[in-house]
Amino acid sequence: MESITDISKSLFTNRSEIMGQAALAIIEKKYGHLLEQQYCQCPKCHQQTKAKSEKVKRDIDTLVGPVTLYRPYFYCKPCGFGFYPLDNVLGLSNRKIQSDIQELEAWLAAEMPYETSVEALERCAGIKVSNHHAHDVVNEIANDIHLLDICPDKVEIQHKIDVLSEGRFRRPVLMIGIDGAHAPTRREPSPRKGKRGKGEWKEVKGFRIYLLDNKDMVHLISWHQIKSDKELANDLLEIKQAGLIPEDKVRICFIGDGAPWIWNRAKEIYPDAKKVLDYYHCSEYLNDLANAQYGKSNQKAREWVEATLTRLFLNKADRIISGIKRMKPKSDAAKDQIKKTVRYLTERIEMINYGSLKRGGYHIGSGGIESSNKFISNVRLKRSGAWWYPTNANNILKLRCAKYNKTFDRIMENRTRQIEQGRIHKQLPKLRLIVDNS
């Protein structure tokens, strides 16, 4: 070992054994009485039970390295119940691979394909797991995660609002962007190998809630799942009913494209909220009309579109609609496009006064939710050759939302606490340690 690289690699290669022994030394120092325990009360019948003559070996893998435990085993003959007090005190997972590794597995697998994530785990931490193990751990963790788990709490949200409100005469704008993006799915269940049947593209519907600070966005909540628009609306309603959004402290505004389901659900939940039709979706309709009427890439078409968009910023949507109605179509395609555009703008006339919306401090573009679609859904789900069970895709999306909402660590801490409490409550409701002083 001549260079620092050689020294580093040598220590890295042997660190698992070194750190594993250190972990064992801490366990022996802190829980030595449990390693040598002779008597313990049965958690079921409460009778005093003597340990078996030979200790039972258990190998566990932790983030710092492997640990081998030799701990006493107790078996109560009257009720036929066996237990290891040390396992419960240490909060050991039922798996050989412990919760600290499982947390890192989930974090990596939420960010990249399973094969790449397990390779990264081995390269960075020297821990070997299979693709299937990472897959199972992700779904095991995410199955118990619900919407409110991945949301920041009221205190965090209120603090961000207070910071933005300081020294300003207007309440901050709270934008709620709603949109959908398609993901490749397959039927549940289908064989891992062999013919899986025809795949299907399903829409990942989601919303993103964020505050506006001049030109900057202060992210609050992202939530994306493969589900119906009614189910997504129920999720948004759940956030409202939980009181996470202080409606009297912000100016709420919905933004989205022209999909009717977006505005139907928004009206149900926040009927008094401001609504904005995404400027770029609106301009697409106007460009399609100009191309049909004047010819694609024609100078007159470009001039008409620019003049019409300028009128929108002058809050003259009603005049625009009247002008389009007076157009003399030059073809059947132009006639159809005129009818389509008139209907589209008329149904959304209150959402396209972009000048007043800009002056009010609202976003007129849906880039916030579009970027959320990309980074939370598309980047992970739309991989070459990937076809997802909807359940598994939703589990990955939960973890990714938690990461971007900055609640991933809190979820993992709560999971560890619930597992420990659940195990003690379920298996050891009245466990009392009896030390043999003889």
Side-chain angles (χ1 to χ4, degrees), residues 145-207:
I145 298 176
H146 303 286
L147 169 60
L148 295 182
D149 297 327
I150 65 102
C151 294
D153 59 32
K154 296 179 185 179
V155 176
E156 294 174 90
I157 293 175
Q158 185 62 58
H159 174 70
K160 291 181 178 180
I161 293 173
D162 290 341
V163 170
L164 292 183
S165 301
E166 189 175 355
R168 300 186 183 184
F169 70 94
R170 289 196 300 187
R171 292 171 295 164
V173 171
L174 183 142
M175 302 293 300
I176 304 177
I178 304 179
D179 199 10
H182 286 84
T185 67
R186 55 191 176 95
R187 293 181 181 179
E188 297 185 55
S190 60
R192 189 181 298 275
K193 295 183 179 180
K195 293 185 178 180
R196 298 177 178 177
K198 187 177 180 180
E200 179 183 2
W201 288 85
K202 289 189 176 182
E203 190 172 27
V204 179
K205 292 182 171 66
F207 55 78

Side-chain angles (χ1 to χ4, degrees), residues 271-332:
D272 298 326
K274 186 78 71 175
K275 298 173 182 63
V276 180
L277 175 66
D278 174 52
Y279 170 80
Y280 300 99
H281 282 84
C282 182
S283 64
E284 283 179 0
Y285 262 79
L286 297 177
N287 275 283
D288 289 342
L289 172 57
N291 292 336
Q293 179 72 356
Y294 302 110
K296 193 171 183 180
S297 301
N298 185 283
Q299 179 66 24
K300 191 171 183 180
R302 288 195 294 269
E303 291 175 354
W304 181 86
V305 170
E306 289 183 12
T308 303
L309 291 174
T310 300
R311 292 190 185 98
L312 283 179
F313 276 92
L314 295 174
N315 301 328
K316 296 180 179 180
D318 52 345
R319 295 188 183 182
I320 292 172
I321 295 171
S322 298
I324 294 174
K325 287 180 178 178
R326 293 194 299 270
M327 272 186 175
K328 295 180 180 180
K330 296 183 178 180
S331 64
D332 290 340

Side-chain angles (χ1 to χ4, degrees), residues 309-366:
L309 291 174
T310 300
R311 292 190 185 98
L312 283 179
F313 276 92
L314 295 174
N315 301 328
K316 296 180 179 180
D318 52 345
R319 295 188 183 182
I320 292 172
I321 295 171
S322 298
I324 294 174
K325 287 180 178 178
R326 293 194 299 270
M327 272 186 175
K328 295 180 180 180
K330 296 183 178 180
S331 64
D332 290 340
K335 183 178 180 180
D336 292 339
Q337 195 64 42
I338 288 172
K339 290 181 179 179
K340 184 178 178 181
T341 304
V342 167
R343 183 173 63 253
Y344 183 83
L345 296 179
T346 302
E347 292 174 353
R348 299 161 179 83
I349 192 168
E350 296 179 356
M351 308 177 191
I352 56 178
N353 289 318
Y354 295 120
S356 60
L357 290 168
K358 287 281 284 185
R359 289 191 295 273
Y362 301 98
H363 268 182
I364 63 171
S366 60

Side-chain angles (χ1 to χ4, degrees), residues 65-83:
V67 177
T68 299
L69 297 174
Y70 290 89
R71 73 272 199 246
Y73 172 66
F74 295 83
Y75 182 79
C76 180
K77 291 183 179 179
C79 60
F81 182 72
F83 55 97

